[in-house]
Amino acid sequence: MAVLDQLTSQQAIDLENKYGAHNYHPLPVVLNRGEGVYVWDVEGKKYYDFLSAYSAVNQGHCHPKIISAMVQQAQTLTLTSRAFYNDMLGKFEKFACEFFNFDKLLPMNTGAEAVETALKLCRKWAYEVKGIDENQAEIIVCENNFHGRTTTIISFSNDPVARKNFGPYTKGFIKIAYNSIEALEEALKNNPNVSGFLVEPIQGEAGVYVPDEGYLTQAKALCEKYNVLFIADEVQTGIARTGELLAVDHEQVKPDILILGKAISGGVYPVSAVLANNAVMNVIKPGNHGSTFGGNPVAAAVAMAALEVIRDENLAENASELGVLFRSELNKYIETSQIVKLVRGKGLLNAIVINDDEESETAWNICMALKENGLLAKPTHGNIIRFAPPLVMTKAQLLDCVQIITNTLKQFEV
Ligand SMILES: Cc1ncc(COP(=O)(O)O)c(C=O)c1O
């Protein structure tokens, strides 16, 4: 089979099943083109993308400005490694530091790598600045977190599917309830070894759990009180998704360490980053950490273009406005619905909770029916369906999507 042979959907699925590890359970749709809020399958059927590659494609598929930055840079210089300087990385670092208001940036490639970077940075700070005894540093994390798939990260997950038979696990983490200031204070007081609090401002993978207003502000204040770093994982919530540039901006909270990934490249290229001020980032010295591809010239060019699109097209404002509209339209439907319990979220990161138990197939079946009706979404956990379209969506398109969603849900009402 030649690379350019046109496959049917079934052929593509069969190939993945036979030759690919079965580490995902995709919806049976095979895409071969994307533009803005739309994707097309290999048979030419058009869909609204209501997942945006887990909030990576915030700027819409194949945004011309981002693609052009990538093509131009790819024809000039792609990779130097950090053994040498390149003329793009510094520009990107300055741009992103000013954009997010931090002193320094450490570039990586994937979200999980950026989380690992933040954990290492926090531990090093703990020993070299806070003065914790060697190997005693502890980091507080939240129940039902999702921060990626590395061995250390799954060590503090409580998802049995992600953890089982991958031990032994990394030590040094304390798990507390999400959205509980009392639990945080309890974990902080009388434990001088705590060096960081790692938190998702909204728990995306867990099912779009939005904490109470004031939670992030109070958590940050507690971190300051106990001299502990507040580490915000904005890999999914960041870059305008929730209606502000960062989800912490809803409460004007400034993290000590900010973790970004996904939409920092508009979903065009793997780019992630950790940002911090000098007092924290300066503990990192040559040889402490790195990545062959981290901060490569293509990544730098793509990320700068992707952030410019967020700013120039006012995507945070659009996400905010469309998010309010989306929830209010769905709430009208839910008033008389038996099948949907509620809609929740911020900006264009939303989820509906299906009125069925977690083990039921209903959410999956609804996603299959949505697919038939021209809209792609995926359950997060059991009975929860996440809705996260590209932020370049128009109001008319959003209302069209609401129609598709509510018409589909009607098929499932008893
Ligand atoms: C909050 C959060 N952190 C980290 C990650 C991991 O990112 P990646 O899949 O790029 O490693 C994700 C991915 O969904 C995420 O949602």
Side-chain angles (χ1 to χ4, degrees):
M1 185 177 296
V3 174
L4 292 179
D5 281 356
Q6 180 61 60
L7 301 180
T8 63
S9 290
Q10 196 53 54
Q11 284 172 322
I13 290 170
D14 291 345
L15 279 179
E16 282 202 29
N17 274 340
K18 178 154 187 217
Y19 294 104
H22 293 183
N23 57 331
Y24 277 88
H25 179 37
L27 220 64
V29 60
V30 180
L31 305 172
N32 71 353
R33 189 155 79 86
E35 191 184 319
V37 298
Y38 299 114
V39 284
W40 286 260
D41 70 17
V42 297
E43 279 82 22
K45 182 170 171 174
K46 184 178 176 183
Y47 304 87
Y48 282 107
D49 179 358
F50 245 61
L51 182 64
S52 306
Y54 300 107
S55 297
V57 190
N58 288 3
Q59 296 85 337
H61 287 275
C62 297
H63 194 291
K65 180 169 174 168
I66 308 173
I67 298 300
S68 143
M70 178 159 88
V71 169
Q72 214 181 329
Q73 188 58 46
Q75 288 169 334
T76 314
L77 180 69
T78 56
L79 186 62
T80 56
S81 82
R82 299 286 303 278
F84 312 117
Y85 289 90
N86 68 65
D87 69 346
M88 293 302 292
L89 177 56
K91 280 197 254 179
F92 165 52
E93 288 170 333
K94 176 175 190 294
F95 185 91
C97 282
E98 289 171 0
F99 205 77
F100 295 105
N101 192 24
F102 283 91
D103 292 340
K104 282 194 167 56
L105 175 150
L106 200 162
M108 296 298 280
N109 311 286
T110 65
E113 280 178 306
V115 173
E116 287 276 350
T117 303
L119 297 172
K120 287 174 72 177
L121 179 60
C122 178
R123 283 179 167 186
K124 209 155 195 303
W125 172 88
Y127 302 122
E128 296 175 12
V129 179
K130 186 164 177 178
I132 293 176
D133 289 343
E134 206 181 336
N135 291 331
Q136 298 306 310
E138 294 186 277
I139 295 175
I140 300 173
V141 298
C142 294
E143 276 164 17
N144 301 324
N145 66 71
F146 185 85
H147 297 286
R149 302 294 197 166
T150 65
T151 306
T152 289
I153 293 172
I154 61 155
S155 295
F156 54 81
S157 159
N158 56 298
D159 176 355
V161 181
R163 274 173 66 87
K164 192 168 166 26
N165 290 339
F166 291 120
Y169 305 113
T170 309
K171 291 186 195 141
F173 298 96
I174 301 168
K175 207 176 299 148
I176 62 166
Y178 186 62
N179 194 24
S180 168
I181 283 299
E182 298 71 35
L184 180 60
E185 177 127 45
E186 198 53 44
L188 285 166
K189 71 178 184 208
N190 307 324
N191 187 349
N193 290 334
V194 176
S195 53
F197 173 50
L198 172 65
V199 66
E200 298 158 86
I202 293 173
Q203 286 192 325
E205 281 315 293
V208 189
Y209 284 101
V210 182
D212 296 338
E213 217 179 306
Y215 172 64
L216 299 171
T217 313
Q218 290 176 60
K220 165 76 183 181
L222 279 179
C223 287
E224 275 173 21
K225 179 174 163 192
Y226 290 97
N227 191 23
V228 155
L229 300 181
F230 182 93
I231 309 168
D233 180 347
E234 295 248 17
V235 169
Q236 185 159 163
T237 51
I239 329 273
R241 170 57 55 191
T242 70
E244 291 278 356
L245 181 58
L246 300 173
V248 288
D249 293 343
H250 288 284
E251 296 193 22
Q252 286 99 43
V253 166
K254 170 131 176 137
D256 299 299
I257 300 179
L258 172 66
I259 306 169
L260 297 173
K262 294 188 195 272
I264 196 171
S265 73
V268 165
Y269 197 81
V271 184
S272 66
V274 170
L275 292 106
N277 282 343
N278 287 332
V280 174
M281 195 65 97
N282 283 348
V283 301
I284 296 289
K285 301 283 185 311
N288 287 161
H289 193 58
S291 155
T292 303
F293 281 85
N296 72 72
V298 177
V302 162
M304 269 190 284
L307 292 175
E308 278 173 359
V309 168
I310 294 285
R311 181 195 61 202
D312 297 346
E313 299 188 16
N314 301 317
L315 295 187
E317 292 83 349
N318 198 45
S320 175
E321 279 167 32
L322 292 193
V324 170
L325 180 64
F326 182 73
R327 288 184 297 280
S328 87
E329 289 296 312
L330 278 195
N331 271 324
K332 281 187 215 157
Y333 176 83
I334 290 168
E335 269 174 32
T336 57
S337 171
Q338 300 298 311
I339 193 71
V340 186
K341 275 203 245 182
L342 59 93
V343 60
R344 63 173 172 239
K346 259 201 176 133
L348 284 176
L349 181 59
N350 295 289
I352 55 170
V353 180
I354 302 301
N355 194 9
D356 207 338
D357 55 71
E358 283 217 24
E359 283 70 43
S360 80
E361 295 278 296
T362 312
W364 173 267
N365 292 337
I366 290 172
C367 288
M368 290 292 284
L370 284 170
K371 170 176 97 71
E372 289 311 306
N373 296 335
L375 185 146
L376 297 179
K378 188 99 196 289
T380 51
H381 271 90
N383 60 342
I384 302 169
I385 302 174
R386 172 177 28 203
F387 288 131
L391 311 182
V392 290
M393 186 159 265
T394 64
K395 188 174 165 191
Q397 287 167 334
L398 185 92
L399 291 173
D400 193 22
C401 292
V402 168
Q403 274 296 314
I404 296 175
I405 292 168
T406 52
N407 285 341
T408 306
L409 289 169
K410 277 182 200 149
Q411 300 171 18
F412 289 81
E413 298 290 352
V414 278

